[in-house]
Amino acid sequence: KGDSPPPRLGPHEIGEELRTSDDLAKPWCDWEHVTGDWAGGRPWLDERGLTLEIRYTADFFYNMRGGLNTSDAEQYRGLLGVGLTFDTEQLGLWKGGTTFVSMFENHGTDITERHVGDLQALNNADAPNRTRLYEFWYEHAFFDDKFRIKLGKMDANADFAAPDYGGEFI
């Protein structure tokens, strides 16, 4: 029928033009970037000092027992994060500069208040549904990266309270 949408492609059906040469030798789940190299768009941006990051976290919860109630106690919570990094040297401006901007968008419903009733939220994405600027900073490196200055709105955990191996326990 002419009205039906084109079929969706699975990861194994994505054309070779969207994959890096390294990706072609590996299964989809082992690619460096899940979406390939965007028909050359990702390397083109990288060569010019622009790095785009898109992250999405989806959490599904169901309160099966206890708490405030278990009737229709399924909830979905999503978190979209988009970040853009600018390397001033690769952009042809000056050496040693990096600018970063990121935003988050929370959406969904909270299982903690509606169904569980605990004092500490079950989900680290529990926050009011809204879109907000998360980070916007400029960092400049001096003396062959031995000294750095960073100014702007930033997540202090990224620089000061991020243990090297802490993520392995989350």
Side-chain angles (χ1 to χ4, degrees):
K1 296 180 180 181
D3 295 310
S4 61
R8 294 180 130 189
L9 296 177
H12 58 284
E13 299 169 307
I14 294 174
E16 291 184 11
E17 69 278 0
L18 293 178
R19 300 181 186 183
T20 64
S21 57
D22 187 44
D23 290 339
L24 293 173
K26 297 185 275 188
W28 172 78
C29 59
D30 292 334
W31 290 0
E32 182 178 349
H33 302 287
V34 142
T35 58
D37 74 356
W38 309 333
R42 187 188 305 271
W44 185 87
L45 288 170
D46 287 344
E47 289 168 10
R48 286 154 182 79
L50 302 169
T51 304
L52 176 67
E53 300 171 24
I54 300 172
R55 296 171 308 281
Y56 188 79
T57 304
D59 289 330
F60 299 93
F61 294 96
Y62 189 88
N63 186 23
M64 298 175 72
R65 194 171 132 192
L68 298 174
N69 74 71
T70 56
S71 176
D72 294 323
E74 67 275 349
Q75 299 295 320
Y76 168 79
R77 192 61 140 153
L79 176 63
L80 171 68
V82 178
L84 187 59
T85 305
F86 303 88
D87 181 312
T88 59
E89 186 172 1
Q90 285 183 285
L91 284 167
L93 300 173
W94 56 86
K95 185 178 178 179
T98 303
T99 298
F100 180 72
V101 62
S102 71
M103 59 75 65
F104 278 117
E105 191 268 332
N106 295 77
H107 56 277
T109 51
D110 176 19
I111 193 168
T112 297
E113 289 182 22
R114 292 175 175 221
H115 302 291
V116 178
D118 61 342
L119 295 175
Q120 180 176 342
L122 288 176
N123 184 350
N124 65 349
D126 272 346
N129 289 343
R130 64 180 180 175
T131 301
R132 65 190 175 282
L133 178 68
Y134 186 66
E135 290 187 84
F136 182 68
W137 49 259
Y138 175 76
E139 180 178 59
H140 199 88
F142 299 92
F143 312 115
D144 295 321
D145 287 343
K146 290 181 174 68
F147 181 74
R148 295 174 173 267
I149 293 179
K150 189 175 188 181
L151 302 168
K153 181 182 185 318
M154 63 198 91
D155 179 359
N157 292 323
D159 292 318
F160 301 109
D164 291 336
Y165 302 105
E168 297 193 24
F169 299 102
I170 295 177

